[in-house]
Amino acid sequence: MAEFAVVGKRVPRVDAVEKVTGRARYTADLHLPGMLIGMFLRSPYAHARILSIDTSEAEKLPGVHAVITQKSLADMLMVTEDEVHGTRRVQKFFADEKVRYYGEKIAAVAAETREIAEEAIARIKVEYEPLPAVVDVRDAVKEGAPIINEDSKVVTLPDGRKLYNVAAEVHGAEGAFVRAEGDTRTDEEIEREAFKDADLIFENTYIIHRAHQSYIEPQIAIADVDPTGKVTVWTSTQGHFAVRSNLAKSLNIPLSKINVIGMTIGGGFGAKFGGIVDTYAVLLAMKAKRPVKVAYTRREEFLDATPAPGAVITVKTGVKRDGTIVARKAFALWDTGVASGGSYATRRLKGVYNIPNFKFDSYDINTNKPKPGAYRAPGAPQASFASEVQLDEIAHALGMDPAELRLKNMREGDQLAFKEVLRKTCDAAGWWTRTKGPNEGWGLACGEWTNGAGPASAVVSLHEDGSVHVFYGLMDLTGTDTACAQIAAEVLGVPYEKVRIVRGDTDSAPYGTASGGSVVTFSYGNAVKRAAEEVRKRVLEMAAEALEANPDDLEIANEKVFVRGNPDSAITLAQIAQSAVRSTSGPIVGHGSFANEPSAQTVAVQIAKVRVDPETGNVQVLAYWNGLDCGKAINPMAVEGQMEGGVVQGIGWGLFEHMLYAPDGRMLNPGLLDYRLPTALDVPKIESILVEEPTRHGPFGVKGVGEPPITPGLAVMSNAIFDATGVRVREAPITPERLVMAILAQQRGNGKAD
Ligand code: MOS
């Protein structure tokens, strides 16, 4: 591959200084004149009928400027139905006839101070008639379970079993599982056919609990509505255009009357595409006729945001004695709370392997919990836990090395580097010659993802000092502005420091997709590259004229255009920019747009060494290796940052993070004291192994790197703990309590981990 001047270099982030000095401006830092504080009244029950709501005492309180309930919004179209990164959001703004989860919004107020708002909330009177709640999907599907949504389905399975509270179902079949037209065989016969070449069949159930994305900055938005109805929103979002379209649809406001300003964001991981607080800020601002800030507390994050769904996944896999996978069938119940969306991720149980016969049946099940949403590679960590823990079980049962079993079954092909990443990660970890002390163990697992692509556009301009300005609507969460600056610098032959990145609001910037789905460097990188190439073309044309040369004979480097082989015959980019301003064709501006071109699948291979304290169940992660095919690392430091972040979240979900609910539906740990996140003490040195197998449509071969690194970590933890203890835990997170119980159960000889 060609040597690059800026691409592939570890340049510091464009926002490094503003971040480390605290100068970066977050939404919470903004204070508008006359601004009010918005707050919510939330349900103290997980399931109850609402008999009455009386807001009159709250409205009388001095300093209160708006009180709203579902009923008071009845004259507006108040249904959100929006496809947001795979999460379908269909919900009323407030509970009116029934509450279906603990902490559901019943009313909102806007007041001059937080204290007045709290007092107003306390004065709203609600009469409830409590109903029985259900929080575990395995209970929710049973006959007699409370029905949460009247429009949910009852599904009868082929074996006659009935599933209640089904919000949606997704099925998929490949190979022998596909039923031909007119095929009269029973499901059982088809299944027997698919598994007929298997020497051994494994069937296990895996449980993954709900986890919160736990971005540092809670949801926040400020809204202002002017007398003409023009809405302005300042918000912490992954995509201000997504916020704009969500507001337009859910509040029935024309797009052109909404401007969304994306502020610096303190993490999103899938939960900041809009709809959680911004719509409420706008509603309150409309009613109060003053700007309103709505900021979630950490407790509200846990009660009423969009965490990752839990799942119960039963996997049946047939293998030959040599480890070849013959068939796999998965049956999954996803805990999608009061909503639906998520279970399609069950298809990911195919992973990076050749599985000739594959089938999944997947159900979104309603429980009395808030709707879930996207969390970094939505559904993949859960699916990967089931898939990769079972592969580990199969390897041990066959007496095969877990890495060998995977190598045997991994797919190969154009733009894929699965085996190379596995081998290199094993080599870096010393996997093949690994040793361990007492209570120590090694775990390996693979995750996968294919970055999305989205519409993106950018404007690149050349200024009189030879500096390059990139203008677009990209929300930078992860260092993508830096990558785009590197791409522009590379194309235009300027130092990275001479590129300025300018983010526009939705009124000014050209349209672009939200920052999610690992799309950003792939999609915006292409848009910036194309825009810079247009600038480059103009620059070469003008230089050719000035130097009396053919444009094809020119090169750009070090801010100069020169005739190839004759560096003395040169003109600077600054001179070209200046003469363009004076020329009849005007200043130099390039435009770039990108649409939906496909990328190739990438693999994340991770290995951990752990030590378990069998008395306390505490797991210490001693070392971690983390391999990824990133296509092309525009900035290896930023790629490693993404990889390390994903590893930490995988360790967190694998060992600690669990949203706990009482049987009556109350959430038991809605705060960071009781919802245990990994800290620096829990995370060892992480070694990252970058493999670069370019993908055809990515700029310079880029594959998206944001999501894949979270996918294998949960399984890595279970597999390492098994190696250390001989105890197989099929439920994540493997908290100390869960592990001690599993160890005790094993000692008692019943051998069941869960
Ligand atoms: Mo996402 S889950 O923000 O790609």
Side-chain angles (χ1 to χ4, degrees):
M1 193 175 265
E3 244 326 287
F4 297 113
V6 192
V7 159
K9 300 286 185 290
R10 295 171 175 267
V11 300
R13 286 171 64 136
V14 294
D15 56 348
V17 172
E18 66 176 56
K19 288 273 171 68
V20 299
T21 57
R23 292 183 64 89
R25 196 165 294 162
Y26 294 84
T27 310
D29 296 325
L30 270 191
H31 303 276
L32 300 182
M35 190 172 79
L36 306 173
I37 300 298
M39 286 183 74
F40 300 103
L41 172 66
R42 297 182 175 283
S43 170
Y45 297 100
H47 204 187
R49 230 175 291 287
I50 297 176
L51 304 178
S52 67
I53 303 173
D54 178 0
T55 59
S56 55
E57 292 302 314
E59 280 160 42
K60 280 186 220 150
L61 191 66
V64 171
H65 292 262
V67 179
I68 51 179
T69 60
Q70 189 67 27
K71 204 164 159 218
S72 69
L73 299 173
D75 52 344
M76 296 169 76
L77 178 63
M78 283 304 144
V79 179
T80 309
E81 186 164 345
D82 198 12
E83 197 69 59
V84 187
H85 193 39
T87 307
R88 204 160 182 83
R89 297 181 175 179
V90 184
Q91 205 181 5
K92 285 180 179 174
F93 281 84
F94 300 96
D96 53 358
E97 284 154 6
K98 193 168 129 167
V99 291
R100 294 169 303 158
Y101 60 94
Y102 177 66
E104 188 171 1
K105 298 179 190 77
I106 291 167
V109 304
E112 285 165 22
T113 66
R114 180 161 277 273
E115 291 68 29
I116 298 172
E118 276 170 5
E119 174 64 24
I121 293 289
R123 289 188 183 196
I124 300 173
K125 292 190 202 80
V126 185
E127 273 184 283
Y128 301 94
E129 179 194 321
L131 298 166
V134 61
V135 294
D136 187 315
V137 283
R138 290 164 293 182
D139 298 328
V141 296
K142 286 183 190 151
E143 185 166 10
I147 297 300
I148 293 152
N149 287 324
E150 285 64 31
D151 59 356
S152 65
K153 290 185 283 189
V154 183
V155 171
T156 306
L157 300 177
D159 64 6
R161 203 154 48 102
K162 281 197 165 95
L163 299 180
Y164 290 81
N165 280 307
V166 175
E169 51 185 313
V170 188
H171 307 279
E174 290 174 34
F177 283 113
V178 178
R179 186 189 285 275
E181 213 173 311
D183 193 338
T184 55
R185 291 175 301 161
T186 64
D187 281 29
E188 226 170 273
E189 285 164 339
I190 287 179
E191 191 168 325
R192 213 174 302 133
E193 173 71 19
F195 281 88
K196 75 174 189 318
D197 294 329
D199 295 320
L200 287 156
I201 291 176
F202 296 79
E203 186 162 3
N204 312 96
T205 296
Y206 301 89
I207 301 164
I208 306 93
H209 290 282
R210 270 188 176 219
H212 194 283
Q213 299 89 344
S214 299
Y215 26 88
I216 294 174
E217 181 201 27
Q219 303 278 346
I220 183 168
I222 297 171
D224 190 26
V225 184
D226 81 6
T228 71
K230 172 93 193 187
V231 175
T232 306
V233 174
W234 295 259
T235 183
S236 172
T237 182
Q238 294 174 234
H240 50 3
F241 289 105
V243 170
R244 183 180 67 167
S245 59
N246 190 51
L247 283 171
K249 278 185 206 161
S250 54
L251 301 177
N252 208 13
I253 304 170
L255 266 194
S256 56
K257 297 204 90 168
I258 305 168
N259 185 30
V260 181
I261 300 158
M263 305 294 286
T264 307
I265 181 169
F269 305 108
K272 289 187 180 166
F273 292 98
I276 294 185
V277 293
D278 45 19
T279 41
Y280 297 93
V282 173
L283 288 169
L284 288 169
M286 279 175 169
K287 181 127 188 204
K289 299 189 170 28
R290 284 178 51 175
V292 177
K293 178 188 274 184
V294 177
Y296 260 18
T297 61
R298 187 63 62 178
R299 178 179 163 82
E300 288 179 295
E301 279 293 343
F302 282 106
L303 295 189
D304 193 16
T306 52
V312 176
I313 306 174
T314 300
V315 194
K316 177 176 169 184
T317 304
V319 293
K320 292 192 191 166
R321 282 201 196 287
D322 69 358
T324 307
I325 301 172
V326 168
R328 175 171 262 188
K329 189 189 94 163
F331 174 87
L333 304 176
W334 290 75
D335 174 2
T336 55
V338 297
S340 64
S343 64
Y344 185 50
T346 311
R347 78 191 187 283
R348 294 196 171 276
L349 271 114
K350 259 193 85 160
V352 287
Y353 308 107
N354 271 314
I355 304 181
N357 306 302
F358 178 71
K359 178 175 191 260
F360 69 91
D361 297 291
S362 196
Y363 301 88
D364 289 341
I365 303 299
N366 286 143
T367 56
N368 290 109
K369 296 179 191 168
K371 66 184 171 185
Y375 177 19
R376 201 170 188 169
Q382 298 96 315
S384 171
F385 180 75
S387 171
E388 293 285 319
V389 173
Q390 193 184 50
L391 286 184
D392 203 68
E393 299 192 50
I394 293 171
H396 282 95
L398 294 174
M400 269 181 96
D401 186 281
E404 289 293 354
L405 177 77
R406 288 169 171 86
L407 280 172
K408 183 157 200 87
N409 289 288
M410 270 178 167
R411 274 183 288 120
E412 281 181 291
D414 182 33
Q415 306 174 75
L416 304 179
F418 302 161
K419 292 185 181 182
E420 189 188 346
V421 177
L422 178 60
R423 287 203 182 95
K424 285 193 168 154
T425 309
C426 284
D427 291 348
W431 174 263
W432 309 110
T433 54
R434 62 194 185 275
T435 58
K436 57 180 186 181
N439 298 317
E440 290 179 358
W442 293 73
L444 175 151
C446 304
E448 52 81 37
W449 192 255
T450 305
N451 69 257
S457 57
V459 176
V460 171
S461 50
L462 185 66
H463 291 236
E464 302 99 291
D465 60 349
S467 65
V468 172
H469 291 218
V470 176
F471 180 65
Y472 53 23
L474 162 63
M475 296 306 306
D476 180 9
L477 283 86
T478 57
T480 47
D481 276 347
T482 305
C484 287
Q486 288 180 260
I487 288 170
E490 187 68 47
V491 171
L492 289 167
V494 301
Y496 161 71
E497 294 76 16
K498 284 211 101 163
V499 180
R500 260 187 69 71
I501 297 283
V502 183
R503 178 173 73 233
D505 55 25
T506 59
D507 266 359
S508 61
Y511 183 80
T513 192
S515 297
S518 306
V519 308
V520 184
T521 308
F522 187 88
S523 305
Y524 282 91
N526 266 317
V528 169
K529 187 161 175 275
R530 289 173 184 182
E533 282 163 354
E534 199 177 306
V535 169
R536 183 185 168 95
K537 191 161 171 279
R538 269 278 321 272
V539 164
L540 291 178
E541 283 164 7
M542 291 193 60
E545 210 168 293
L547 299 172
E548 297 182 346
N550 187 323
D552 295 338
D553 297 332
L554 297 178
E555 267 183 45
I556 311 183
N558 303 323
E559 303 182 69
K560 285 191 190 100
V561 188
F562 54 91
V563 180
R564 195 170 296 122
N566 182 10
D568 294 338
S569 180
I571 181 169
T572 65
L573 290 179
Q575 287 169 322
I576 292 172
Q578 287 159 22
S579 69
V581 170
R582 294 190 302 266
S583 76
T584 50
S585 46
I588 299 178
V589 181
H591 304 84
S593 276
F594 180 79
N596 285 308
E597 297 195 63
S599 185
Q601 195 177 14
T602 191
V603 71
V605 179
Q606 296 179 5
I607 294 173
K609 186 178 186 185
V610 305
R611 186 184 300 132
V612 176
D613 181 337
E615 299 286 314
T616 63
N618 191 53
V619 177
Q620 193 187 350
V621 185
L622 302 171
Y624 210 102
W625 294 268
N626 147 43
L628 177 70
D629 164 22
C630 59
K632 170 72 191 169
I634 299 292
N635 185 334
M637 183 167 68
V639 172
E640 286 165 9
Q642 285 302 293
M643 292 167 71
E644 290 168 12
V647 167
V648 173
Q649 290 179 318
I651 291 174
W653 203 347
L655 295 182
F656 320 117
E657 293 184 51
H658 181 172
M659 296 174 74
L660 284 163
Y661 293 86
D664 68 2
R666 268 174 311 125
M667 198 202 166
L668 294 171
N669 57 344
L672 292 179
L673 272 181
D674 299 311
Y675 181 90
R676 168 89 155 82
L677 287 174
T679 69
L681 292 176
D682 302 303
V683 179
K685 183 174 166 357
I686 299 167
E687 188 181 326
S688 297
I689 299 100
L690 276 64
V691 172
E692 297 185 322
E693 177 68 35
T695 184
R696 208 160 294 125
H697 299 295
F700 302 97
V702 162
K703 287 177 180 168
V705 299
E707 290 167 301
I710 196 180
T711 55
L714 285 66
V716 171
M717 290 299 109
S718 176
N719 296 348
I721 288 166
F722 175 79
D723 192 44
T725 62
V727 174
R728 179 62 69 183
V729 187
R730 301 192 183 95
E731 186 168 359
I734 307 175
T735 56
E737 180 185 12
R738 187 164 287 134
L739 181 52
V740 165
M741 300 298 276
I743 291 170
L744 290 174
Q746 176 122 333
Q747 284 168 357
R748 280 197 308 268
N750 69 19
K752 279 287 266 187
D754 45 46

